[in-house]
């Protein structure tokens, strides 16, 4: 894992330990948005993983049905 991916993953973990208990776990998806973001960053790297996580967070609103949404696998080149 690159240093940038490691730092982003750590920042997400800090969020999970500090803010998430205060605001509550209200994610419409499984796995949760923060777990999805950490997995996407670890799988795809800091750049693409952040884009996937941002797209997921934008879909997390009351009008989206939510449900199971796994991180897409790496494409073989």
């Amino acid at each position: 894992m690159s240093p940038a991916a490691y730092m982003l993953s750590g920042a997400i973990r800090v969020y999970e330990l500090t803010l998430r208990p205060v605001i509550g776990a209200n994610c419409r998806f499984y796995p949760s948005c923060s777990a999805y973001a950490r997995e996407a960053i670890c799988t795809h790297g800091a750049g693409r993983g952040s884009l996937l996580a941002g797209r997921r967070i934008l879909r997390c609103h009351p009008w989206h049905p939510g449900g199971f949404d796994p991180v897409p696998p790496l494409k073989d080149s």
Side-chain angles (χ1 to χ4, degrees):
M1 190 168 13
S2 71
Y6 186 76
M7 289 178 63
L8 286 171
S9 181
I12 293 167
R13 186 68 184 139
V14 168
Y15 157 77
E16 289 176 333
L17 294 173
T18 58
L19 290 175
R20 188 174 179 184
V22 174
I23 63 175
N26 299 315
C27 190
R28 308 182 66 77
F29 294 98
Y30 177 81
S32 69
C33 291
S34 56
Y36 180 94
R38 279 195 3 238
E39 184 180 347
I41 289 168
C42 290
T43 303
H44 295 281
R48 178 150 170 76
S50 295
L51 289 174
L52 288 169
R55 189 181 76 179
R56 165 75 175 270
I57 290 169
L58 289 175
R59 288 183 304 181
C60 194
H61 54 76
W63 301 283
H64 194 282
F68 182 64
D69 183 27
V71 173
L74 284 172
K75 294 181 182 177
D76 292 332
S77 298

